[in-house]
Amino acid sequence: MENWRLNKMVTIKQALDDEVACNEWFLPGNSCCAGCGLEIALRWAMKALGPNTVLVTPASCLNVVIGLWPKTAPNFPFTNMAFAAGASAATGISEALKAKAYRFPGKNWEKITTLVFAGDGGTTDIGIQALSGAAERNSNIIYTCYDNEAYMNTGIQRSSSTPHGAKTTTTTLGKERYKKNLPAIMAAHEIPYVATCSISEPLDIYKKYKKAKTIEGCKYIHILAPCPPGWNYPSEDTVEIARLAVKTGVWPLYEIENGILRMHKKSHPLLDPSKRKPLIDYLSRQKRFAGMSEQSLIELQQNIDNDWKMLASRLHAQES
Amino acid sequence: MVSDIKKEFLQNKENKIIKGNEAAAYAAKSSRVQVISAYPITPQTTVVEKLSEFVDQGLMPGTQYIKVESEHSVMASMVGASMTGTRTFTATSGQGLFYMNEMLHWVAGTRLPIVMAIASRGPAPPWNIWADFTDVLSQRDTGWITSFCATHQEIYDEILMSYKVCEDHDILLPKFVAYGGFILSHTSKPIIIEEQALVDEYLPPLPDEKGWPHIFIDPERPMMFGNLIMPSGFYYEFRMKIHETMMRAKEKIMIAAKQFERMFGRNYGNGLIQNYKMDDADVAMLIYGDLAFQMEEAVDQVREEGYKIGMVKLRHFRPFPVEEIIEIAKKVQVLGVMDRGTAFGSPTGGPISSEVKTALHNTEKTAKILPMISGLGGREVTIDQQKDQLKILIKMNETGELPKDLLYGTLWHGKLEVK
């Protein structure tokens, strides 16, 4: 662990002491773009969950990068699903596993983890109804939004998760509206576990999935997953861009467990705005924000500051 | 058949006087379904209420009941549940069925034996909640086996027969069991609820631990389902197989009906169609759903006047009983085809009459066909009107002339006078 902090190369075994995590469950040879944020997110989620997992993926990049038939990269049960149906299909699986457990007791059918990996379109737009339904029912699933902030699979169209100012093929002048705060919406459903992750913090992804696996009910994890072609930056910069999103405060890392909010150690100090790196450090690395007006920049900063104020007031309310 | 049921009803203490929707719920219970997912919609609602009651009272041990937030999620969760290897059931009506449409294709493409009861209603706008089979008929090309029920008992019986056909490993296709909203769903009739041991003997066993042969969710046998497939891959062949299986399902439907009769004593023709007084008929009416039930009485009354008229009850729309219909059309001189549903811009305007014409197009010397439509949106069709419909066919046979007042070749019967 010490070596890791010193930023020297360590093996996963040295860092985690977890046999399962030493394996890859999303295999090499898949067709992700170079520098794909999604791939890092899925690999680390699966390192935590292990192969006793069934993954449901509604229409998104993941439907394609797993490989064209008959090739397939996931080394665990995986089903493609219709766009709006991620959370509901997963509910069907987790309930059927209960029915199977009743009929075949002692075979651990109920111990299989039902996981959803959906993009931001499949989560914040077309899939939100099914997701909200699953959350309200407290279906026993882990729902993941891997957020690349636009419809990347269809060629970079705006979603409700696209941030203010970002250019997409359907917001050619930059998006006017703001990013939908889905983790906050999910927290408002009062489900047992909500968390945000960044692919720049793989150990954090690992720990959060490890925890989510042990919790009964609906778990929601939102991972920021930068996309080189969509955000228009060199593919070797993916981790750095994600890291900047955390450091500038664009993407706060936290978890809300049974209603209690805890900030990640890298995000906690940023409650103090002066500790945040300048927003421009993050934006200037991505051409999707090129040509953004000063006014737009101010508005985006205000939007981010407001999210932090919400987090701060929640923490404050918890303490008092 | 009616009197047979009465006799049997009095002998059997398991019988109940219940609504058509409750008959569907009892059928699901008798079939020991393992996962139910449902969303309420008029006129299907009492199906989901009754099932809720069963589950809450512990009468369906081990059954998981998912109360979802929409019909799209109903069918998505059914897909998840069925893929995992469980027997599944749901019910819906009109708008709910339309909302499911994407997932209906998904189910057939996945080859999952899901059974769904449909209390049919007319499509909006304007809002309509009454009997009209346009909802289920407009799902024609989704790859679901499709059947109609004419009586309360038939709802119960047909659902049992459906699991028999759909879960056959040579078939593995989903099925709609449709019946008229309110006319059957909300009226009460005596129903025979069969003994559980007999039903268990009739139905295939519940899927074993390995699940279905073609698809399973099992970490010990990791499987990918539904990858993108290039045009050079097997997509084309998968589609062809669905059609081929649907056609093969005819035989299984006939076997299931025969075995059903042997075990429970109720006859449903050959399963695909059921003839009524057709032996000496020279004029006949082909009809489906609840209208068929009352039409039996209309046929009897017209026969008393000395006419040789018969009725063919269409039980399955998919697969379509082409051979049976050719046989009938060769036997009679005039065949009326009565639709309670619409297919706008189709050859006749009626979904079934268009199909009948298609089925006969290569056969010489067949009956004259009169496409007819009545009872749309739950419009009442009285027995006198049905007798009138039969007499139009008789007159057509006598004069050799088509009736007047046809709209592009189709008789829209029982419409209001528009000034």
Side-chain angles (χ1 to χ4, degrees):
Chain A
M1 222 44 192
E2 281 309 305
N3 284 342
W4 183 272
R5 292 214 180 97
L6 290 169
N7 209 15
K8 285 182 185 166
M9 291 294 279
V10 290
T11 63
I12 293 166
K13 194 169 175 60
Q14 283 169 312
L16 290 176
D17 193 25
D18 177 350
E19 285 276 327
V20 173
C22 293
N23 290 311
E24 291 294 349
W25 303 104
F26 184 51
L27 301 176
N30 62 65
S31 51
C32 286
C33 303
C36 177
L38 155 63
E39 191 203 24
I40 300 171
L42 180 57
R43 280 176 55 216
W44 279 87
M46 286 309 297
K47 280 176 182 296
L49 297 176
N52 201 31
T53 301
V54 50
L55 177 50
V56 178
T57 290
S60 72
C61 285
L62 186 49
N63 282 176
V64 181
V65 301
I66 49 174
L68 300 178
W69 185 91
K71 294 173 188 167
T72 178
N75 198 10
F76 48 91
F78 184 112
T79 181
N80 291 269
M81 189 40 62
F83 212 169
S88 42
T91 299
I93 291 172
S94 83
E95 293 298 316
L97 288 171
K98 285 185 204 166
K100 273 192 107 159
Y102 177 86
R103 215 164 107 71
F104 308 105
K107 301 287 187 73
N108 292 330
W109 283 101
E110 71 284 3
K111 295 209 173 124
I112 298 171
T113 303
T114 309
L115 174 69
V116 180
F117 245 70
D120 47 297
T123 303
T124 67
D125 290 335
I126 195 170
I128 196 170
Q129 174 179 308
L131 174 58
S132 176
E136 187 274 331
R137 287 190 304 271
N138 205 19
S139 293
N140 190 27
I141 60 173
I142 303 176
Y143 189 102
T144 308
C145 173
Y146 69 89
D147 187 359
N148 47 30
E149 301 193 322
Y151 290 87
M152 298 314 185
N153 195 27
T154 45
I156 323 166
Q157 294 81 31
R158 66 126 33 213
S159 77
S160 58
S161 200
T162 304
H164 177 70
K167 288 196 185 71
T168 67
T169 53
T170 52
T171 52
T172 53
L173 304 174
K175 190 184 169 191
E176 280 190 35
R177 295 290 299 159
Y178 301 94
K179 185 180 175 75
K180 191 187 274 183
N181 188 344
L182 213 72
I185 292 169
M186 295 313 291
H189 282 74
E190 297 182 1
I191 53 175
Y193 192 69
V194 176
T196 61
C197 292
S198 162
I199 54 100
S200 61
E201 300 295 333
L203 289 183
D204 183 48
I205 297 177
Y206 174 84
K207 283 178 195 158
K208 283 172 174 165
Y209 276 89
K210 272 278 182 208
K211 183 181 274 184
K213 193 181 174 180
T214 64
I215 297 170
E216 178 79 18
C218 186
K219 288 83 61 177
Y220 179 78
I221 300 178
H222 197 124
I223 308 180
L224 188 70
C227 168
W231 296 12
N232 208 343
Y233 63 82
S235 54
E236 64 271 25
D237 286 356
T238 291
V239 174
E240 187 55 24
I241 298 274
R243 194 172 286 144
L244 280 166
V246 175
K247 286 184 175 170
T248 53
V250 166
W251 190 244
L253 299 179
Y254 59 84
E255 61 182 357
I256 302 172
E257 194 180 348
N258 294 320
I260 305 297
L261 169 68
R262 264 188 302 272
M263 301 302 298
H264 183 261
K265 62 184 181 223
K266 293 207 170 154
S267 288
H268 195 270
L270 310 187
L271 284 160
D272 173 0
S274 69
K275 296 283 196 307
R276 296 175 208 156
K277 278 191 151 238
L279 179 59
I280 196 75
D281 289 7
Y282 172 68
L283 303 183
S284 61
R285 300 281 292 263
Q286 310 165 48
K287 289 203 183 122
R288 65 174 171 157
F289 293 110
M292 207 172 156
S293 72
E294 202 173 323
Q295 181 58 29
S296 237
L297 203 71
I298 293 166
E299 283 169 15
L300 180 57
Q301 183 68 63
Q302 277 170 351
N303 183 246
I304 291 162
D305 292 349
N306 284 341
D307 285 351
W308 279 96
K309 279 179 197 156
M310 262 172 56
L311 291 169
S313 70
R314 185 162 182 151
L315 284 171
H316 184 72
Q318 270 170 211
E319 282 156 16
S320 57
Chain B
M1 198 182 96
V2 183
S3 59
D4 287 350
I5 288 176
K6 269 185 200 156
K7 212 162 66 191
E8 217 180 317
F9 182 77
L10 294 170
Q11 288 165 354
N12 193 330
K13 57 182 182 293
E14 273 297 309
N15 302 334
K16 296 188 174 351
I17 297 177
I18 52 173
K19 298 185 178 81
N21 275 347
E22 292 173 327
Y26 271 100
K29 179 170 166 286
S30 294
S31 304
R32 296 186 187 274
V33 299
Q34 294 166 280
V35 182
I36 299 161
S37 175
Y39 186 75
I41 181 169
T42 307
Q44 149 269 32
T45 322
T46 47
V47 181
V48 309
E49 285 178 352
K50 195 72 193 170
L51 286 169
S52 226
E53 210 177 292
F54 288 151
V55 172
D56 291 349
Q57 288 174 358
L59 299 173
M60 298 176 77
T63 299
Q64 304 299 315
Y65 189 164
I66 318 172
K67 287 130 192 176
V68 288
E69 81 302 323
S70 73
E71 284 90 356
H72 194 278
S73 287
V74 165
M75 205 35 74
S77 53
M78 288 276 93
V79 169
S82 186
M83 279 175 77
T84 311
T86 58
R87 183 173 290 167
T88 52
F89 178 79
T90 186
T92 193
S93 295
Q95 308 299 122
L97 187 63
F98 303 142
Y99 195 35
M100 281 179 190
N101 178 275
E102 178 190 21
M103 299 315 298
L104 297 179
H105 286 274
W106 203 279
V107 171
T110 317
R111 303 293 296 270
L112 296 172
I114 296 168
V115 174
M116 174 157 65
I118 298 176
S120 282
R121 72 181 240 190
W127 282 121
N128 188 290
I129 53 174
W130 297 277
D132 187 319
F133 291 99
T134 307
D135 56 1
V136 64
L137 289 165
S138 72
Q139 306 306 313
R140 190 187 68 180
D141 301 332
T142 52
W144 285 58
I145 300 174
T146 305
S147 64
F148 307 106
C149 303
T151 67
H152 294 61
Q153 186 68 53
E154 194 169 6
I155 297 172
Y156 178 85
D157 295 350
E158 184 61 28
I159 289 171
L160 301 191
M161 285 188 266
S162 298
Y163 284 111
K164 183 103 175 158
V165 172
C166 298
E167 291 184 3
D168 189 311
H169 286 193
D170 288 339
I171 302 295
L172 292 166
L173 280 174
K175 183 163 172 186
F176 299 130
V177 179
Y179 49 93
F182 286 100
I183 294 172
L184 291 192
S185 69
H186 283 62
T187 55
S188 295
K189 283 263 184 177
I191 306 248
I192 296 155
I193 306 294
E194 295 296 348
E195 264 177 58
Q196 188 63 54
L198 278 182
V199 177
D200 289 347
E201 199 185 321
Y202 175 72
L203 288 182
L206 288 172
D208 67 17
E209 202 168 353
K210 284 190 175 301
W212 309 118
H214 66 304
I215 193 162
F216 33 81
I217 285 175
D218 183 355
E220 283 177 17
R221 296 176 295 157
M223 184 198 193
M224 161 69 71
F225 175 75
N227 284 40
L228 185 67
I229 188 164
M230 296 306 277
S232 55
F234 279 113
Y235 181 88
Y236 178 114
E237 288 73 12
F238 288 151
R239 297 281 127 179
M240 197 180 83
K241 270 194 163 297
I242 293 175
H243 177 64
E244 187 256 319
T245 308
M246 186 73 90
M247 299 308 264
R248 261 194 301 112
K250 283 184 191 177
E251 199 196 334
K252 302 282 182 179
I253 290 166
M254 291 192 248
I255 293 169
K258 205 172 280 176
Q259 288 176 340
F260 189 89
E261 187 182 1
R262 208 176 299 143
M263 182 151 280
F264 302 110
R266 287 186 291 282
N267 172 277
Y268 290 103
N270 75 348
L272 295 163
I273 61 161
Q274 189 174 10
N275 291 336
Y276 186 74
K277 304 211 169 160
M278 283 295 292
D279 288 347
D280 61 345
D282 45 28
V283 175
M285 178 73 91
L286 186 134
I287 192 164
Y288 55 95
D290 42 80
L291 285 177
F293 183 61
Q294 186 179 264
M295 189 60 97
E296 286 183 5
E297 181 64 27
V299 166
D300 286 349
Q301 290 187 18
V302 172
R303 270 187 170 260
E304 274 168 24
E305 295 173 33
Y307 299 106
K308 286 178 180 170
I309 190 146
M311 182 192 95
V312 180
K313 185 173 85 175
L314 185 74
R315 296 192 75 255
H316 279 82
F317 167 59
R318 283 290 178 265
F320 199 69
V322 177
E323 290 80 10
E324 287 79 358
I325 283 172
I326 288 175
E327 197 182 313
I328 287 155
K330 280 183 153 180
K331 195 162 152 310
V332 297
Q333 270 72 56
V334 173
L335 179 65
V337 183
M338 180 59 71
D339 267 302
R340 186 174 217 158
T342 44
F344 305 131
S346 69
T348 65
I352 303 288
S353 50
S354 294
E355 294 270 338
V356 169
K357 285 203 157 188
T358 309
L360 298 178
H361 86 289
N362 260 351
T363 310
E364 283 170 17
K365 290 184 188 161
T366 57
K368 276 191 180 156
I369 305 296
L370 181 65
M372 301 166 102
I373 290 177
S374 71
L376 296 183
R379 169 75 52 84
E380 188 180 6
V381 182
T382 64
I383 193 154
D384 285 343
Q385 281 175 316
Q386 288 192 312
K387 279 160 70 183
D388 181 45
Q389 291 160 5
L390 295 176
K391 285 189 178 159
I392 290 169
L393 299 178
I394 291 163
K395 194 176 166 204
M396 214 174 122
N397 190 31
E398 285 169 355
T399 62
E401 283 173 23
L402 284 169
K404 294 190 179 74
D405 198 24
L406 300 185
L407 179 68
Y408 296 100
T410 298
L411 185 73
W412 294 63
H413 194 268
K415 59 186 183 295
L416 302 174
E417 287 305 317
V418 183
K419 282 173 189 163

